[in-house]
């Protein structure tokens, strides 16, 4: 059934957005390019202009063809692209048919747009056998290289074009070194966006974003540069540690969540109690449990359960605590905690941690620090040391991951991140 959705509320388009929207048209000096890459700062207006351009190009140029719509995950693709696309089509008065089950596709006229995730190295297998007239790749810098190469190879219909957009990552990234840096020889049209290219952002909003990040994330997300990570992960915390430490918890902690990371023979068990003040204004590390299996000896599953029960009771004695997020890689230990929680009537729901991309979690905490919205109780010594000493892995310049060779405390950071990961978007955008 053809569906109409609530129309998109269009704002005036900037010169850069208009260049993106019309680059493919006859008379444009870039109309013969095979690929368009729009990179740059967050909230710079590149996504909406890219969707409008891709829709008008594909509908005006082709009939009865297949197209690729790809995102890091299907969830992110629906949020970033499909939702706005439906609203844009509604505003233009164009009916469409969206099939959410099975093959997951959208029909617009006689064209079919198939949805794909580019979540891992195996994702490219789903593209095999498809002949496409074009592709739209959202957040392409997060895609595996083999998916990008397979996607480009699938677009073999005469006149096919590929649209890509992304925020910058490492300057050693494949998208930067093999596509953007070789744009001329590979017939690529490259457009670089700044926040000022989004005319819908007020000066107040721009100023707010300028203060949301520091360090490498400021260079990437705000300035739109392909910047390398180097050295300390939480540079601001290391430089200004005392500013982030509290002797006592805030009076307005509304509720708290527990994160759990299980340690193997060469790591540690870590529990983190994270509190949220009124309106999610601040995120506070309120309490911790840390047991180093190398220095203190390995714990039995029963000992882990007993430590967990004590920790939860201590937390619930002072705060509203209903949720626990655990390292999903250890299902047997999680089942033990679930049994212990029921037996001891702890009244907490134990869930698997999302364990999303590490660089998203790192960017979130760096942003909290830049906004002065992060605090740690001084007694949480394992977390303080972990935040001070965490460094990027010098052998993985493209992946933006922390060094995890046993020389630093990664476990406290993991449990800390598990406690906030499910609500980090709410914390970031509702609690300013």
């Amino acid at each position: 059934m053809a569906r109409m959705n609530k129309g998109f509320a269009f704002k005036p388009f900037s010169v850069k957005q208009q260049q993106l929207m019309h680059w493919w048209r006859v008379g444009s000096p870039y109309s013969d390019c095979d690929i368009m890459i729009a990179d740059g700062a967050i909230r710079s207006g590149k996504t909406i202009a890219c969707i409008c351009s891709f829709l008008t190009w594909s509908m005006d140029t082709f009939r009865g063809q297949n197209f690729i719509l790809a995102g890091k995950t299907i969830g992110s693709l629906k949020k970033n692209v499909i939702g706005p696309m439906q609203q844009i089509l509604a505003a233009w008065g164009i009916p469409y048919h969206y099939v959410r089950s099975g093959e997951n596709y959208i029909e617009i006229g006689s064209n079919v747009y198939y949805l794909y995730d580019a979540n891992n190295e195996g994702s490219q297998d789903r593209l095999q056998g498809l002949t496409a007239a074009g592709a739209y790749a959202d957040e392409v810098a997060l895609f595996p290289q083999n998916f990008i190469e397979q996607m480009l190879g699938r677009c073999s219909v005469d006149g096919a074009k590929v649209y890509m957009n992304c925020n910058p990552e490492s300057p050693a990234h494949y998208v930067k070194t093999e596509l953007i840096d070789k744009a001329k020889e590979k017939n690529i049209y490259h457009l670089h966006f700044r926040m000022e290219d989004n005319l819908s952002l007020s000066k107040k909003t721009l100023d707010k974003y300028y203060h949301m990040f520091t360090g490498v994330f400021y260079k990437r997300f705000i300035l739109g540069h392909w910047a390398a990570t180097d050295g300390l992960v939480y540079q601001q915390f290391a430089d200004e540690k005392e500013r982030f430490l509290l002797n006592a918890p805030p009076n307005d902690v509304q509720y708290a969540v527990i994160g759990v990371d299980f340690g193997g023979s060469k790591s540690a068990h870590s529990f983190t109690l994270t509190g949220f003040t009124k309106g999610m204004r601040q995120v506070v590390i309120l309490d911790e449990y840390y047991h180093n299996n190398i220095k203190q000896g390995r714990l039995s599953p029963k000992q882990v359960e007993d430590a967990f029960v004590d920790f939860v009771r201590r937390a619930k004695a002072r705060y509203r605590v209903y949720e626990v997020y655990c390292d999903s890689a250890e299902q047997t230990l999680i089942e033990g905690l679930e049994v212990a929680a029921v037996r001891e009537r702890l009244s907490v729901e134990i869930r698997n941690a999302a364990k999303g991309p590490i660089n998203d979690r790192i960017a979130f905490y760096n942003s909290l620090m830049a906004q002065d919205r992060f605090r740690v109780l001084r007694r949480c010594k394992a977390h303080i040391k972990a935040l001070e000493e965490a460094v990027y892995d010098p052998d993985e310049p493209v992946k933006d991951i922390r060094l995890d060779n046993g020389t630093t405390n990664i476990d406290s950071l993991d449990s800390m991140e598990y406690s906030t990961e499910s609500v980090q978007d709410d914390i970031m955008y509702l609690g300013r």
Side-chain angles (χ1 to χ4, degrees):
M1 180 178 68
R3 178 180 175 184
M4 299 301 292
N5 207 339
K6 183 179 179 181
F8 188 83
F10 286 103
K11 303 293 184 182
F13 287 110
S14 67
V15 171
K16 187 64 66 68
Q17 287 176 309
Q18 291 183 51
Q19 289 174 335
L20 196 163
M21 290 174 64
H22 303 297
W23 69 275
W24 56 273
R25 295 186 183 277
V26 175
S28 165
Y30 308 103
S31 61
D32 290 334
C33 290
D34 302 314
I35 301 171
M36 189 287 306
I37 301 177
D39 72 341
I42 62 172
R43 294 304 312 277
S44 56
K46 56 187 179 295
T47 301
I48 293 301
C50 208
I51 294 171
C52 290
S53 181
F54 180 74
L55 282 174
T56 53
W57 165 76
S58 61
M59 291 187 298
D60 286 0
T61 308
F62 293 101
R63 298 288 184 274
Q65 292 292 344
N66 298 323
F67 297 87
I68 296 167
L69 299 176
K72 175 65 174 176
T73 65
I74 292 295
S76 64
L77 179 64
K78 290 180 177 179
K79 178 182 177 181
N80 297 342
V81 179
I82 305 305
M85 181 179 287
Q86 291 176 280
Q87 293 181 326
I88 290 168
L89 290 169
W92 290 346
I94 299 174
Y96 60 91
H97 180 52
Y98 184 10
V99 178
R100 293 171 174 78
S101 59
E103 289 188 90
N104 216 1
Y105 61 89
I106 298 175
E107 290 181 336
I108 306 174
S110 59
N111 289 333
V112 182
Y113 302 74
Y114 291 98
L115 280 61
Y116 295 92
D117 68 79
N119 199 35
N120 54 53
E121 294 287 339
S123 297
Q124 63 99 22
D125 294 344
R126 291 188 288 276
L127 292 174
Q128 292 183 3
L130 177 71
T131 299
Y136 182 108
D138 181 62
E139 297 181 333
V140 71
L142 303 180
F143 291 14
Q145 180 177 334
N146 70 341
F147 186 95
I148 298 173
E149 293 170 342
Q150 182 71 233
M151 178 181 66
L152 294 174
R154 293 296 98 199
C155 297
S156 56
V157 174
D158 286 346
K161 296 185 184 298
V162 175
Y163 283 67
M164 301 181 183
N165 69 52
C166 64
N167 301 128
E169 296 284 335
S170 164
H173 195 286
Y174 168 80
V175 171
K176 178 67 165 61
T177 60
E178 294 300 317
L179 298 178
I180 293 176
D181 289 349
K182 298 179 180 180
K184 187 173 182 180
E185 66 183 85
K186 294 189 175 182
N187 203 27
I188 295 172
Y189 180 38
H190 173 221
L191 276 167
H192 182 74
F193 279 72
R194 303 177 304 158
M195 280 189 177
E196 290 78 6
D197 292 314
N198 185 351
L199 300 182
S200 69
L201 300 182
S202 66
K203 184 180 184 304
K204 181 179 179 181
T205 300
L206 287 170
D207 289 342
K208 173 191 67 181
Y209 278 105
Y210 286 140
H211 292 89
M212 281 182 67
F213 298 96
T214 58
V216 67
F217 296 103
Y218 180 85
K219 294 176 183 177
R220 292 180 181 177
F221 297 160
I222 305 304
L223 300 181
H225 296 166
W226 293 78
T229 56
D230 182 32
L232 293 170
V233 175
Y234 305 105
Q235 183 74 57
Q236 191 170 8
F237 186 92
D239 290 346
E240 307 174 67
K241 182 176 70 173
E242 286 300 316
R243 180 160 72 88
F244 297 101
L245 302 185
L246 296 175
N247 293 321
N251 295 324
D252 62 338
V253 173
Q254 301 292 293
Y255 72 101
V257 175
I258 293 173
V260 174
D261 185 53
F262 300 108
S265 60
K266 296 183 180 180
S267 56
H269 297 291
S270 174
F271 310 153
T272 304
L273 178 67
T274 302
F276 308 100
T277 62
K278 186 176 181 180
M280 290 184 168
R281 180 68 188 89
Q282 285 197 324
V283 175
V284 186
I285 307 304
L286 299 167
D287 199 3
E288 69 178 10
Y289 170 84
Y290 182 77
H291 180 92
N292 190 307
N293 290 327
I294 299 176
K295 297 180 180 179
Q296 298 170 278
R298 293 193 65 175
L299 296 179
S300 69
K302 179 62 166 58
Q303 289 173 311
V304 175
E305 292 168 18
D306 291 344
F308 174 75
V309 169
D310 290 343
F311 187 79
V312 174
R313 283 177 172 163
R314 188 165 75 230
K316 290 181 73 72
R318 187 160 189 176
Y319 305 103
R320 296 168 56 212
V321 183
Y322 305 113
E323 295 177 319
V324 178
Y325 289 89
C326 301
D327 181 358
S328 57
E330 301 291 345
Q331 290 300 310
T332 300
L333 290 176
I334 290 176
E335 290 173 6
L337 298 191
E338 290 174 335
V339 172
V342 172
R343 182 182 67 240
E344 302 297 331
R345 299 180 180 180
L346 298 180
S347 298
V348 292
E349 185 172 355
I350 297 176
R351 301 175 177 176
N352 288 328
K355 297 184 74 170
I358 183 64
N359 51 349
D360 288 354
R361 288 145 52 185
I362 292 172
F364 167 70
Y365 274 95
N366 269 292
S367 181
L368 283 182
M369 293 172 194
Q371 297 174 65
D372 198 30
R373 297 175 54 202
F374 178 69
R375 294 292 185 270
V376 184
L377 262 63
R378 197 178 294 275
R379 65 169 175 261
C380 298
K381 298 187 183 302
H383 281 76
I384 293 170
K385 185 176 176 63
L387 288 161
E388 278 186 291
E389 297 180 355
V391 294
Y392 287 105
D393 189 337
D395 295 327
E396 297 286 357
V398 176
K399 295 183 179 180
D400 293 352
I401 58 176
R402 291 184 294 245
L403 182 65
D404 186 10
N405 62 357
T407 59
T408 58
N409 172 14
I410 296 298
D411 308 287
S412 290
L413 300 178
D414 283 339
S415 63
M416 176 184 76
E417 292 162 356
Y418 297 159
S419 70
T420 56
E421 192 173 17
S422 65
V423 291
Q424 69 182 28
D425 288 346
D426 293 335
I427 295 169
M428 186 64 65
Y429 296 110
L430 297 182
R432 285 188 291 268

